[in-house]
Amino acid sequence: MARAEAWRLDASNYPVSMVIQSRFGDLDSLGHINNVAMAGIFETARVHFHHRLGRHPAELGVRWLVAAVDLKFVEESHFPYDVVVHSGIGHIGNSSWSLLSAAFQQGECVATCDTVMVMKGPKGNRVIDDAIRAVMEENSARPGLAHAD
């Protein structure tokens, strides 16, 4: 199984969480939640997280596009246990950012997912405005988050 940074395996280091029910149809022939289903679980959590940022970018003629996804399977995941996806913003650039997520079952991390997002407008890349940047910074994932004042 893949290795993730130790701090990524602690749910308290992420500011946002979402519970997603596993489905019998998500299973592979070995009885594990299959890789494609886990990618879909992370996608659902990613969309939920981005709606939390407070406004839909299409209102401003902007699109948020997925540029890259890095999914690491840490442990086996199983039906019928819920998957709790914890997420937070990682790096914030001028027109892109990373969303760091980790999926947990029964308190154990089963997978991590890093997604690079790019902000596009009608004329190419679009700079992240100050309002969205502030919300992103408030929703950052980082070691020791639960202990921050």
Side-chain angles (χ1 to χ4, degrees), residues 84-96:
V84 183
V85 179
H86 296 267
S87 301
I89 297 291
H91 173 76
I92 306 171
N94 289 325
S95 61
S96 66

Side-chain angles (χ1 to χ4, degrees), residues 4-141:
E5 294 174 274
W7 75 269
R8 298 288 306 275
L9 307 178
D10 183 346
S12 68
N13 291 320
Y14 303 87
V16 177
S17 65
M18 178 180 191
V19 177
I20 300 173
Q21 292 180 332
S22 63
R23 304 173 307 165
F24 179 76
D26 292 338
L27 299 180
D28 63 18
S29 60
L30 298 174
H32 308 114
I33 295 176
N34 74 45
N35 298 355
V36 173
M38 187 59 75
I41 288 168
F42 277 116
E43 178 184 44
T44 297
R46 174 180 51 80
V47 170
H48 169 77
F49 182 91
H50 283 116
H51 276 276
R52 180 183 169 89
L53 296 182
R55 65 176 180 199
H56 194 279
E59 296 169 3
L60 302 173
V62 175
R63 296 175 294 149
W64 294 351
L65 305 175
V66 173
V69 175
D70 180 19
L71 203 148
K72 290 184 174 70
F73 298 96
V74 179
E75 295 289 342
E76 297 173 353
S77 53
H78 301 277
F79 173 83
Y81 305 109
D82 288 341
V83 179
V84 183
V85 179
H86 296 267
S87 301
I89 297 291
H91 173 76
I92 306 171
N94 289 325
S95 61
S96 66
W97 64 97
S98 61
L99 178 64
L100 307 180
S101 300
F104 293 79
Q105 277 193 317
Q106 298 184 294
E108 295 295 321
C109 184
V110 296
T112 62
C113 183
D114 298 354
T115 306
V116 176
M117 302 292 298
V118 178
M119 187 175 286
K120 292 282 193 177
K123 297 179 182 178
N125 285 4
R126 185 93 185 249
V127 174
I128 299 169
D129 66 50
D130 292 340
I132 291 292
R133 184 176 298 276
V135 174
M136 288 178 174
E137 289 171 353
E138 291 169 8
N139 288 283
S140 293

